[in-house]
Amino acid sequence: MSKTGLVLAPSLLGLLALALPADEVAFHPKADLELKKELRVTAEFKQEKVTATVNGEPAPPDSFGDLGDKPAIVKLAVDATDKYVQTKEGRPTELLRTFDSLRLSAEAGGEAHDAPSFDALEGKTVRFKWNADSESYEKSLVDSKGDDALLAQLSDDFDLRVLLPAKKVTEGETWEVTGDRLLPFFLPGGVTGEIASGSDKEEIASAIAEVRAALGKFQEDMKVVCKYKGARDEGGERVGVIDFTFANKGKPDLSRLIQTIAAAEETDIHFDVDASADIDLQGSGTLLWNLAGGRVQSFAMHSEAGVDLDVKMEFAVESQNVEALVKARFACKADWSLTATKP
């Protein structure tokens, strides 16, 4: 190539990029559009290795909650109907969400059970009303009463709007979504019910709060890298295709979490705990966006993580000081799917 060609090549590539058609992958559903959404999440936790010592002597792993050879499996199923009463500037300004069906189940140690109060919002409709002054949503139940704490856990984003680009994009363009915005990415629509009830409700709620606190920094450090793969026909609709990947490593402090769990046991023993977990997380997925309708078409994601847990516990039993050390490795994987269709 001549010197002139070398000089002109970047300019020609720039002009070519400008000439490529740009797609508006944006949220703009028409007023009063209704969408039926089905969210399915399955998470599996498998214990690969565990060792324990008490005062330097080997101890049975099941003394500290050995899960055995079978994985623990958690399944979430949310069926809801969203009605976009009004939208503006890439968000709903008034949204009605009716929860058609809610279920959370778990299987561990050969036993399976459902969270008994997870369906508290089933059959009810929640209004999300945007308050421009506070830049937040006011949430209320329509024609019924309920627990404000349940409403506080809900998210307006049941569309994966968090992944959308800030401008029109052409095929091959990339952008990033930072960790402080990723809660609706991992849990579209938010937490839709009570995970625990009865006598253990308070203890489990405290443990969940500690999990969130411990993983807060890990989430903040994460980035999701999105790439626009262009448009295609999907089920008779023209959809924009967004592929995404994410990866993160961290070592959150789990001391308060383990101490909260230990304190929930019916014992007068006081535990001093030093615990951490090395987490190596990675995942990928695809968001299909209905270009004409300005709304989500479907979403699918898979993630895997290795977790190395290191726990040191010190306590006294009958005036004797005890030091327990536990090391464990877990393999975790999870799958998400979301489909949106007109009723």
Side-chain angles (χ1 to χ4, degrees):
M1 181 181 291
S2 67
K3 291 183 178 180
T4 302
L6 288 172
V7 172
L8 291 177
S11 299
L12 291 173
L13 290 174
L15 290 172
L16 178 60
L18 290 173
L20 291 173
D23 291 328
E24 185 179 16
V25 190
F27 179 79
H28 55 80
K30 64 181 182 180
D32 291 328
L33 172 71
E34 290 189 13
L35 281 183
K36 183 174 179 60
K37 298 173 181 176
E38 295 183 356
L39 173 68
R40 301 291 183 267
V41 182
T42 301
E44 181 178 302
F45 309 88
K46 184 174 177 57
Q47 181 177 287
E48 294 188 330
K49 183 179 180 181
V50 59
T51 60
T53 62
V54 175
N55 289 340
E57 297 295 325
D62 56 7
S63 302
F64 300 92
D66 185 17
L67 293 178
D69 296 331
K70 293 185 177 181
I73 300 174
V74 177
K75 294 183 178 181
L76 169 68
V78 177
D79 292 351
T81 302
D82 275 356
K83 181 177 181 179
Y84 306 103
V85 181
Q86 292 289 338
T87 63
K88 184 179 180 181
E89 298 176 347
R91 68 165 60 92
T93 52
E94 185 175 357
L95 168 70
L96 297 177
R97 178 170 301 149
T98 300
F99 291 100
D100 305 311
S101 177
L102 297 169
R103 185 185 180 195
L104 178 67
S105 62
E107 180 180 340
E111 298 183 359
H113 60 87
D114 290 347
S117 299
F118 192 76
D119 61 354
L121 290 175
E122 191 170 291
K124 297 182 179 181
T125 299
V126 177
R127 174 181 281 110
F128 295 81
K129 186 73 173 178
W130 178 250
N131 186 321
D133 293 331
S134 63
E135 295 189 341
S136 62
Y137 283 95
E138 297 171 353
K139 307 167 192 175
S140 60
L141 284 168
V142 178
D143 299 328
S144 60
K145 295 182 179 180
D147 189 342
D148 289 341
L150 274 181
L151 300 184
Q153 299 179 116
L154 300 177
S155 170
D156 59 289
D157 190 355
F158 204 176
D159 309 276
L160 282 302
R161 303 193 315 271
V162 66
L163 294 181
L164 298 182
K167 59 181 180 61
K168 290 184 177 181
V169 287
T170 58
E171 185 174 345
E173 283 195 70
T174 62
W175 63 96
E176 291 184 348
V177 182
T178 54
D180 58 340
R181 301 172 54 205
L182 289 177
L183 185 57
F185 170 69
F186 287 108
L187 200 55
V191 180
T192 52
E194 292 183 351
I195 295 175
S197 63
S199 59
D200 61 349
K201 179 178 178 179
E202 186 174 336
E203 289 80 2
I204 293 180
S206 297
I208 292 172
E210 291 299 340
V211 169
R212 290 175 177 171
L215 296 181
K217 182 64 167 58
F218 183 81
Q219 178 185 317
E220 288 176 7
D221 291 340
M222 189 180 300
K223 291 182 180 179
V224 177
V225 180
C226 302
K227 185 173 185 178
Y228 188 56
K229 304 291 286 186
R232 74 178 190 222
D233 288 328
E234 184 79 16
E237 302 279 1
R238 193 69 172 165
V239 299
V241 182
I242 297 174
D243 282 354
F244 57 86
T245 60
F246 57 91
N248 195 26
K249 293 182 179 182
K251 192 172 184 178
D253 188 337
L254 301 184
S255 301
R256 286 176 58 88
L257 169 62
I258 302 298
Q259 197 151 23
T260 297
I261 295 173
E265 299 295 328
E266 296 182 359
T267 177
D268 294 330
I269 299 175
H270 172 74
F271 296 88
D272 289 322
V273 180
D274 183 8
S276 63
D278 276 308
I279 303 177
D280 186 354
L281 171 69
Q282 56 186 345
S284 62
T286 300
L287 170 65
L288 299 184
W289 194 259
N290 190 300
L291 295 175
R295 49 86 169 179
V296 63
Q297 183 88 359
S298 67
F299 168 80
M301 178 168 71
H302 175 78
S303 75
E304 296 187 3
V307 180
D308 288 297
L309 184 65
D310 194 346
V311 181
K312 177 181 178 181
M313 302 177 66
E314 295 180 331
F315 53 95
V317 178
E318 297 179 352
S319 301
Q320 181 181 358
N321 293 328
V322 179
E323 179 186 80
L325 303 178
V326 181
K327 294 182 181 292
R329 178 168 178 80
F330 299 89
C332 311
K333 61 182 180 180
D335 289 280
W336 291 253
S337 70
L338 172 69
T339 58
T341 57
K342 293 181 181 179

